[in-house]
Amino acid sequence: MAARAISAATISFGLVSIPIKLYTTSESGSEISFNMLHECGTRLKQQYICPKHEVVVPRDQVVKGYEFAKGQYVIFSEDELKALEAQSSRMIEIHEFIPVAQVDPLYFERAYYLGPDKGGDKPYKLLARAMQETGRCALASYATRGKQYLVLIRPFEDGLVMQQLRWADEIKSFDEIERIDATLTDTELKLAVQLIEQIASDEFRPEAYEDEVKKRVLALIQQKVDGQEITFSEAEEPAGKIIDLMEALKASLEGGRAQTPRKGPKRVPSRGKDKASKEA
């Protein structure tokens, strides 16, 4: 079944315009969620309560305000709120092309697949191929639903993905994080590198991993649906805690050599894609 587009837009750079469609990248209904119920089993309704007058406030009496000082608000009407919103232009305007490695994943938020709209097949493919050749991605701005977004358009497989980014002022400085300048020995660093190399992989294969917690929760939910009771037991504390760093590194290396082959991806020898895929 073909994916359904959630929106349409146009990528613009220079005199080139590419009509595209946006698609979600996530599977709907993949997350487990619980509803709020009364003890009788009836689903609850959300209400707003005014603590000053101790009354339930109907939605037609709810207004929006901005807290400009502690406990002080300026109230906006619906028309004033609309005036504050950015105009949705459906135009994704490219500002510059940058190396994809220069964008730290810390800035990434949600992602969208981009597909060509009517008449956009050739310029869409050309942009994707050109970015693959240059190793660069496009930094652009996009206004929709009353907000403006900084986005990154990058090649993905044989097409394009649009990554919504955080603005610079939305990122907390790492300088605020307290750290101690610890001294490392050459031996400690060498053992740590050996441990990394021991379980290293040259490919990212997310399909090799599963959400074990989700599987367990679904099994317990089915158990409950079938009328069975669910019992809770405390997780056991890991035995033999290792405090000394050198001892921990050595034990990790020895444990890694003795353990059975991992389910996750392994380092693939550089002997061609076909042979590597057989060995995976």
Side-chain angles (χ1 to χ4, degrees):
M1 181 178 178
R4 180 180 297 179
I6 60 172
S7 183
T10 301
I11 297 175
S12 171
F13 69 104
L15 299 177
V16 180
S17 295
I18 309 172
I20 54 97
K21 290 183 177 180
L22 282 74
Y23 302 83
T24 59
T25 58
S26 58
E27 288 287 354
S28 60
S30 60
E31 293 186 2
I32 300 173
S33 61
F34 294 88
N35 296 312
M36 303 294 288
L37 310 175
H38 185 244
E39 292 177 342
C40 69
T42 305
R43 189 168 177 174
L44 300 177
K45 293 182 178 180
Q46 190 178 50
Q47 293 181 318
Y48 291 98
I49 297 176
C50 175
K52 179 179 179 180
H53 297 95
E54 297 183 346
V55 295
V56 176
V57 182
R59 288 192 177 271
D60 60 357
Q61 294 181 17
V62 175
V63 296
K64 291 185 178 180
Y66 178 81
E67 188 177 22
F68 63 91
K70 185 66 174 179
Q72 299 184 55
Y73 301 86
V74 57
I75 296 176
F76 290 84
S77 67
E78 288 297 325
D79 289 339
E80 288 173 329
L81 288 171
K82 289 180 181 178
L84 296 177
E85 295 179 351
Q87 295 295 321
S88 298
S89 63
R90 295 186 179 272
M91 187 69 69
I92 304 173
E93 185 179 354
I94 294 177
H95 301 297
E96 58 181 330
F97 291 91
I98 59 177
V100 66
Q102 289 297 310
V103 184
D104 194 283
L106 185 67
Y107 285 86
F108 289 175
E109 285 201 309
R110 65 187 64 181
Y112 299 90
Y113 290 136
L114 301 183
D117 205 348
K118 187 176 180 180
D121 297 271
K122 187 169 183 177
Y124 171 91
K125 185 174 183 179
L126 179 62
L127 178 60
R129 185 70 62 82
M131 285 198 289
Q132 286 177 340
E133 291 289 328
T134 60
R136 293 180 179 268
C137 54
L139 198 61
S141 56
Y142 178 45
T144 182
R145 297 176 183 174
K147 294 183 178 180
Q148 186 178 34
Y149 299 96
L150 184 65
V151 297
L152 188 78
I153 301 173
R154 57 186 176 86
F156 179 78
E157 296 185 359
D158 60 346
L160 297 171
V161 164
M162 184 175 77
Q163 196 90 39
Q164 183 179 316
L165 303 178
R166 294 185 177 95
W167 295 99
D169 61 359
E170 295 176 330
I171 302 294
K172 180 181 291 187
S173 173
F174 195 53
D175 292 337
E176 298 179 28
I177 308 303
E178 185 177 350
R179 288 159 289 162
I180 298 175
D181 189 14
T183 302
L184 301 176
T185 67
D186 292 340
T187 303
E188 289 169 341
L189 183 57
K190 182 179 179 181
L191 287 174
V193 170
Q194 288 178 2
L195 180 58
I196 290 174
E197 289 295 333
Q198 183 172 280
I199 56 176
S201 175
D202 291 330
E203 295 182 13
F204 174 52
R205 300 181 188 173
E207 69 278 1
Y209 299 90
E210 290 184 309
D211 188 341
E212 298 295 338
V213 172
K214 180 179 178 180
K215 287 173 61 177
R216 180 178 62 82
V217 170
L218 287 173
L220 291 174
I221 289 175
Q222 187 58 50
Q223 185 177 322
K224 189 73 174 178
V225 171
D226 295 338
Q228 302 176 36
E229 290 295 323
I230 297 176
T231 57
F232 172 77
S233 58
E234 291 282 354
E236 294 183 5
E237 286 288 331
K241 290 185 178 179
I242 302 174
I243 305 300
D244 182 76
L245 180 58
M246 286 291 291
E247 185 182 348
L249 289 169
K250 291 178 181 177
S252 298
L253 283 168
E254 291 301 322
R257 296 190 186 102
Q259 67 184 0
T260 55
R262 300 179 296 120
K263 293 182 180 179
K266 300 178 180 179
R267 178 180 292 276
V268 179
S270 56
R271 289 178 286 176
K273 291 185 177 178
D274 293 337
K275 192 161 185 177
S277 62
K278 293 180 182 178
E279 296 177 356

